Amino acid sequence: QVKKMIKDLIVRLLEEANEEAEQKGWCDTELSTNEQTRKEKTEAVESLHSEIDELEASIAKLSKQVSELSNEIKEMDEAVAKATSIRNEEKEKNTETIKDAKEAQVAVEQALQVLKDFYAKAGEATALLQQPEIFDKPYQGQQGESGGVVGMLEVIQSDFARLETETKASEDQSQASYEKFVEDTTVDKTAKQ
């Protein structure tokens, strides 16, 4: 009977040893699986930290670029405002110059007409009613000198006409340059927004 009990005890110990071996195998498998999972998760965390660092650097760089572009846009707006102000002043001055040149041309034309009428009448009349004997023909003023005053007024009139033409051309060119500047600035500003 003792033998039987010893045998039963040995069988039971062997069964327990088998169960413990199975338990140890399962534990070893679980430990290696957990270790592998932990390794993978640690690598994922490190990868994510690296990606976070890259994205933070990218955010800082982009923020700096946004700030620079905002400053450039502000400078462009200021440049357009200044150019508009200068352009308006220039346009006002050119308009006044053209108006003055037109008025001056009319005034000079009227003066020329008065002088031409005067010299035409002077050519017909005699300047001195009582003529001394030393004159062999009636004195009619200095008709030859009339070309000097009339000629000078004609030069002045042509100068005013040229001033009007040049000012109009300058105005047109300045307006075209201003419009191109505003267009280029708007395109550049749109690209930077």
Side-chain angles (χ1 to χ4, degrees):
Q1 224 189 31
V2 170
K3 279 185 174 185
K4 186 176 181 207
M5 268 175 59
I6 291 179
K7 271 186 178 180
D8 286 342
L9 188 57
I10 289 177
V11 169
R12 202 173 44 169
L13 286 174
L14 285 175
E15 286 176 359
E16 283 180 16
N18 266 346
E19 286 176 14
E20 282 181 16
E22 286 176 17
Q23 179 72 20
K24 183 181 181 308
W26 181 82
C27 285
D28 288 344
T29 303
E30 287 298 310
L31 279 175
S32 77
T33 302
N34 284 344
E35 185 178 340
Q36 184 63 29
T37 302
R38 194 172 346 135
K39 214 178 203 183
E40 290 171 1
K41 299 292 181 186
T42 302
E43 288 174 3
V45 166
E46 289 172 359
S47 172
L48 290 174
H49 279 298
S50 172
E51 191 175 333
I52 287 171
D53 291 344
E54 289 174 11
L55 291 174
E56 285 176 347
S58 178
I59 288 171
K61 181 180 176 184
L62 291 174
S63 294
K64 182 179 178 185
Q65 287 177 346
V66 165
S67 175
E68 289 172 357
L69 290 174
S70 293
N71 287 339
E72 289 177 16
I73 289 171
K74 180 182 173 190
E75 290 171 2
M76 285 181 197
D77 288 341
E78 290 171 357
V80 166
K82 184 177 180 182
T84 301
S85 173
I86 290 170
R87 180 69 201 111
N88 288 339
E89 290 173 10
E90 186 178 54
K91 183 175 185 171
E92 185 179 318
K93 180 180 175 187
N94 286 342
T95 302
E96 186 67 27
T97 301
I98 291 169
K99 179 180 167 253
D100 290 347
K102 285 181 179 180
E103 290 173 358
Q105 287 178 72
V106 169
V108 170
E109 179 62 34
Q110 290 171 349
L112 276 170
Q113 193 58 47
V114 168
L115 283 175
K116 286 178 182 177
D117 290 346
F118 172 77
Y119 284 122
K121 289 178 185 175
E124 298 168 2
T126 56
L128 298 172
L129 295 177
Q130 298 176 351
Q131 296 186 12
E133 294 178 12
I134 56 171
F135 293 134
D136 41 351
K137 61 180 184 174
Y139 180 71
Q140 298 178 326
Q142 296 179 353
Q143 295 294 317
E145 299 298 316
S146 69
V149 173
V150 172
M152 184 174 71
L153 285 176
E154 288 172 343
V155 168
I156 291 171
Q157 185 179 28
S158 71
D159 286 348
F160 280 124
R162 184 173 33 79
L163 175 65
E164 177 185 359
T165 304
E166 289 174 356
T167 304
K168 282 181 181 177
S170 173
E171 172 65 20
D172 292 343
Q173 185 211 5
S174 294
Q175 183 65 29
S177 296
Y178 168 75
E179 288 172 359
K180 177 151 180 39
F181 171 73
V182 170
E183 180 183 337
D184 291 347
T185 303
T186 302
V187 167
D188 196 20
K189 181 179 171 183
T190 302
K192 290 182 179 189
Q193 287 179 337

